[in-house]
Each structure stands twice: as C-alpha cells, then as structure tokens.
C-alpha cells in the first residue's frame, strides 16, 4: 500500500487531501504542527474530529519555540472586540518553508517518500512561501536534497474547487476550522474566513 505523510491543521484543505488519499487507497499518516499559534488546541481538537477514520492516528509535533516572542497575531491573539487585525499582522516569516522541511524530515524518518499538503492557489497569501511559484519550485528543490517528494494536489485549484471536491468525498466541511484571528470561533473577517465563506457561496452552500 502506498503511504503518505499529510500536513494537517483541522482546516478544509488539508482534511480534503486526507479524504482524497484514503479514497485512492493510500495509507495516510497525518502530522500536526504546534508552532505556538493561539488556536493550536482548537486546531488539534478539530484534527482528531474531522480526519477520515481510515487515517493513522495524527502525530503532534511541537516546534513552538521557533516563533516564541513573535508579534504576529497568529501567535498573540488579538481582542477582536477592541483591536483591528490586518493581513500584515498575521505574517509569520518562513512558516510554510519550515513546515515542509520538518514534514520531509519526519517522513524520511518513517521511511515514507511522499509528503502532501492542502495548500491552494490562494490570492490572499502574503508569504512568498505560500505562493504558487514557491510550490511549483519546491519539488525541483527537493530532488537535490533527499528522496522525499512534495505534493500539493490543490495548488492549481481555487477554494471553491476544494469545496466541491470535499462534497464529493463526504468531508465534514462544517466541522473544519480555518480561522487565523480567533482561537475559539471563526471570526468571519480574517483572510482565511473570507476566502472560505466566498468559496462556500460559490459552490452553492449557504
């Protein structure tokens, strides 16, 4: 059986990747990154709730010391009743690049050669390592480093495309969590929430 490590967050995109791989007969090994994000416990609870039953138990990797002291509002939660949060306030340098490096190291430790992510062709990403260009160049870069290969099956798709795929696969869309600004409930205003709401509307989900 083919095996794959999948980076998961409890969000719609990574959860749909897991369902897609399970549907194809792949043994899925989910890994979750605790990088000090204020919503880590909410995300971790969602990971355990929404993954397909056929997936292996998710592993939680603690890399939180790396961003200790960061002023990013992904680390220091804002009081949304009193404080405005802009896209720039949510920036975390090298976050995605770090995820891929750690995932590759973990995958090779497990003797698994394929790492999957749910990254999409997002129009709100501020980080250069969340861009389509970065994703397209990642596999070429990895060839010169090790045996692990990276896969982002949704990198050329829109969020609405992912919603439609999720519906086909029976993903529990309503139980996934993607908010960047609030640790307890979707704020409805951060880039992730706005993109999710627009995608649901485009896919015909009220």
């Amino acid at each position: 059986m083919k095996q794959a490590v999948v980076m998961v967050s409890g969000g719609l995109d990574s959860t749909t990747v897991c369902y897609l791989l399970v549907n194809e007969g792949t043994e899925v090994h989910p890994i979750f990154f605790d990088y000090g994000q204020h919503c880590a416990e909410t995300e971790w609870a969602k990971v355990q709730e929404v993954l397909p039953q056929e997936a292996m138990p998710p592993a939680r990797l603690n890399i939180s010391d790396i961003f200790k002291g960061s002023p990013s509002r992904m680390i220091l939660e804002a009081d949304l009743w009193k404080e405005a949060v802009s896209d720039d306030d949510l920036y975390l340098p090298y976050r995605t690049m770090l995820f891929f490096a750690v995932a590759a190291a973990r995958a090779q430790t497990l003797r698994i050669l394929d790492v999957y992510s749910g990254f999409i062709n997002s129009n709100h990403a501020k980080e250069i390592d969340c861009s389509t260009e970065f994703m397209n160049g990642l596999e070429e870069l990895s060839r010169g480093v090790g045996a692990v290969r990276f896969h982002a099956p949704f990198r050329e798709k829109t969020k609405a495309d992912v919603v439609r795929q999720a519906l086909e696969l029976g993903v529990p869309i309503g139980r996934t969590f993607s908010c960047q600004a609030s640790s307890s409930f979707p704020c409805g205003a951060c880039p992730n929430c706005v993109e999710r709401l627009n995608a649901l509307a485009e896919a015909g989900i009220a």
Side-chain angles (χ1 to χ4, degrees):
M1 176 183 287
K2 179 183 175 181
Q3 296 179 301
V5 164
V6 183
M7 295 183 282
V8 298
S9 66
L12 174 61
D13 305 331
S14 62
T15 302
T16 303
V17 170
C18 290
Y19 272 79
L20 179 64
L21 291 173
V22 164
N23 188 61
E24 294 173 351
T26 299
E27 183 177 87
V28 171
H29 294 254
I31 58 172
F32 170 80
F33 297 120
D34 177 350
Y35 55 93
Q37 70 271 40
H38 56 68
C39 56
E41 298 308 323
T42 299
E43 290 183 346
W44 176 238
K46 288 297 182 181
V47 163
Q48 298 173 88
E49 178 184 347
V50 301
L51 289 179
Q53 293 183 348
E54 298 87 349
M56 301 296 287
R60 179 170 177 163
L61 305 183
N62 188 341
I63 55 174
S64 59
D65 283 348
I66 294 173
F67 293 116
K68 188 174 292 184
S70 169
S72 169
R73 286 310 192 177
M74 293 187 72
I75 305 297
L76 297 174
E77 185 172 9
D79 182 345
L80 298 179
W81 293 106
K82 300 177 181 179
E83 301 174 83
V85 177
S86 70
D87 291 3
D88 290 338
D89 294 329
L90 298 166
Y91 174 66
L92 269 179
Y94 303 103
R95 182 180 67 128
T96 307
M97 186 180 294
L98 174 66
F99 288 172
F100 278 108
V102 174
R106 183 58 186 157
Q108 191 147 340
T109 298
L110 296 173
R111 299 183 180 180
I112 297 174
L113 300 181
D114 295 290
V115 170
Y116 281 77
S117 73
F119 293 107
I120 65 171
N121 184 16
S122 173
N123 60 11
H124 76 251
K126 295 293 183 182
E127 301 92 335
I128 191 171
D129 56 354
C130 281
S131 66
T132 302
E133 290 77 13
F134 175 81
M135 298 297 169
N136 290 341
L138 193 59
E139 177 131 352
E140 182 177 349
L141 175 65
S142 69
R143 288 194 183 98
V145 177
V148 173
R149 296 291 173 263
F150 300 112
H151 308 273
F154 300 148
R155 67 182 175 187
E156 302 296 338
K157 296 184 181 297
T158 67
K159 192 81 168 186
D161 292 331
V162 176
V163 170
R164 296 184 188 100
Q165 180 90 74
L167 287 170
E168 293 175 6
L169 294 167
V171 176
I173 296 174
R175 303 209 309 271
T176 60
F177 182 86
S178 304
C179 185
Q180 297 168 295
S182 171
S183 65
S184 55
F185 59 88
C187 71
C190 72
N192 276 10
C193 282
V194 170
E195 187 173 47
R196 176 189 175 103
L197 290 170
N198 289 341
L200 292 172
E202 186 177 338
I205 300 178

